[in-house]
Amino acid sequence: MHGNIKHFTTGKNRLRNIVKVIPDFDKNRGGVLIKKNQQYLLIGSIIIIIAAFVVINSMSSPAADSEQGSEGLNSRASDELVVAVGTHGGEPEAGFDPITGWGNSREPLVQSTLFKRDSKANLINDLATDYTVSNDRLKWTVKIRSDVKFHDGMPLTAKDVAFTFNTAANAGGSIDLSVLEKATAVDDYTVEFKLNDPQSTFINKLVALGIVPEHAYNVETYGSNPVGSGPYKFVQWDKGQQVIFEANPDYYGQEPYFKKLTMLFMGSDSAFAAAKAGQVNLAEIPASYANQEVDGMKIISLDSIDARGISFPMNPNAGEKTENGYAIGNDVTSDPAIRKALNIGIDRQALIEGALNGQGKEEFTGVDKLPWGNKEAVFEDGDIEGAKKILSEGGWTDTDGDGIVEKNELKAEFTLLYPANAQERQALAVSVSEEAKKLGINIKVEGKSWDEIYSLCYSTPNVWGYGSLDPTDIYLRYYSKSYDPSTQNNVIMYNNSAVDSYLRTAITSPDQETANKNWQLAAWDGTTGFSAKGDASWMWMATINYVYIMDEDLDIGAPKIQPHGADIFGSILEWKRA
């Protein structure tokens, strides 16, 4: 559809130019020439007009669209980009509002953040110029730039920063700000954050949240017409179709090469088709297309820290329910023999080669690639005989010969959920089910909506995705007191006092080396931990690669480390035509 509209507009502009060169063409009289002795021009003009309409019709026809897609794309200005990148969060339901989730953990485009990270994950300034932390680590003071304006011309001050963080904390959005007691503007360019817990990881919140203007913020309307101070200004949002951004001429940072950015909302299969047809300059595509060849375009695959793992409810089913009335516990996954057998019996590389078309890396703890990952927690997988031995020693045997082991008449079988619209999670779930049969475990896979998953995940395993440069994720996933059914923190209700102690030491330590050491010990200290060598609370499978097709001459600079959901625009200020 976008291709036809584009070609018709191009043809209409050509017609308008043709009309301009016809002497004395009178639009109000239907094209009749009124100067005497110029009748001979009328016939020529009519012929030209008819020819122009023929061109328009041919260009706007489906056949011409597919044949001339590349020509249409090439006619676009070289400093304009049309992209189809679902991994940038897709189309946000609440619009482009950081407080409700837009841009969290990735480049928000429209808004600025206090800090950013470079391609090597080093902390760098954005709005901030400096920060200090009090001795008790409960007060953080941040200085900000004095030369920043919002897109509406109003200055950005510390009041806007404080307003943004207080509003986000009260909203309970996708960024966990429960540690923030209050943010206060000390003066126009100094903001103070008072915490209720000395968490050194608070710095990561200052990276994640885009700043909104207090004078122009309304939770009901801001997302549809956002005002920020970032490198791009919001232009228009055609819901269900596209959003358009234009470069901010008053941006305080590096000037973007690309002056217009149109983001199309479409599935990855459709995005690949659009790229082949020459309708987009860059698109996220399924891993299954990673080896395709398209004239005039290149395909790149970016490693990520975005891990896929299966949560195992740790409690048996005792009839308990969450505060929301959701069932708690699973009699099969609460048995450590089941969890450990799956962890060592499943061949992760086989999952990657099959389900992910080779586009991924093995993952054992969910944070293997990060500084706080514990190499001692990594193990040799694909050990079917070892897995069967664990099951047998745990009392799981196949007494009726149906290929499925049982214990006290309880079959080793359970349902594995995955988000119905996530292709790679479905493929992983199916592959895990096939691998598990070799161990005598029957896994039934079911795709569900997120609303359904959130109501079932306390009793039913699910395929999740996590990947962040903020180790707070580990804390919220495994710290016993972080369990919260309103946020899906610690959905398996994991409880290990030794792990709790390591996690508390890690998150409150001002020394990064000490913090990392304790994050690692929480996974495995030689005796216990949340990893497969310890309690096997989750089964981590792989980190996925993000695959993109783009114009051959498009240079995207040094991409940042790709988190959960990717951050392809993280290096947008480096993008240019080669």
Side-chain angles (χ1 to χ4, degrees), residues 431-497:
S431 294
V432 166
S433 175
E434 293 171 351
E435 290 276 306
K437 288 178 182 177
K438 302 174 185 177
L439 314 179
I441 298 174
N442 183 36
I443 299 177
K444 297 171 285 186
V445 301
E446 290 185 15
K448 298 284 188 182
S449 69
W450 275 114
D451 285 342
E452 292 175 300
I453 289 171
Y454 291 153
S455 68
L456 295 168
C457 61
Y458 304 96
S459 61
T460 310
N462 178 60
V463 181
W464 300 88
Y466 286 96
S468 172
L469 291 169
D470 183 355
T472 306
D473 271 7
I474 301 175
Y475 186 82
L476 296 177
R477 195 176 307 135
Y478 301 111
Y479 185 58
S480 62
K481 295 180 181 178
S482 71
Y483 161 72
D484 184 351
S486 69
T487 60
Q488 291 77 54
N489 291 337
N490 192 10
V491 295
I492 62 173
M493 304 182 75
Y494 181 61
N495 191 341
N496 180 320
S497 59

Side-chain angles (χ1 to χ4, degrees), residues 8-28:
F8 178 78
T9 303
T10 302
K12 185 168 65 176
N13 290 338
R14 290 179 182 176
L15 175 59
R16 189 176 294 119
N17 292 334
I18 290 170
V19 169
K20 286 180 180 178
V21 302
I22 300 175
D24 305 300
F25 185 87
D26 188 343
K27 298 177 185 176
N28 295 328

Side-chain angles (χ1 to χ4, degrees), residues 286-303:
S288 56
Y289 296 145
N291 300 319
Q292 295 281 328
E293 292 186 6
V294 178
D295 288 343
M297 305 197 85
K298 59 187 176 184
I299 292 178
I300 65 169
S301 179
L302 300 181
D303 287 346

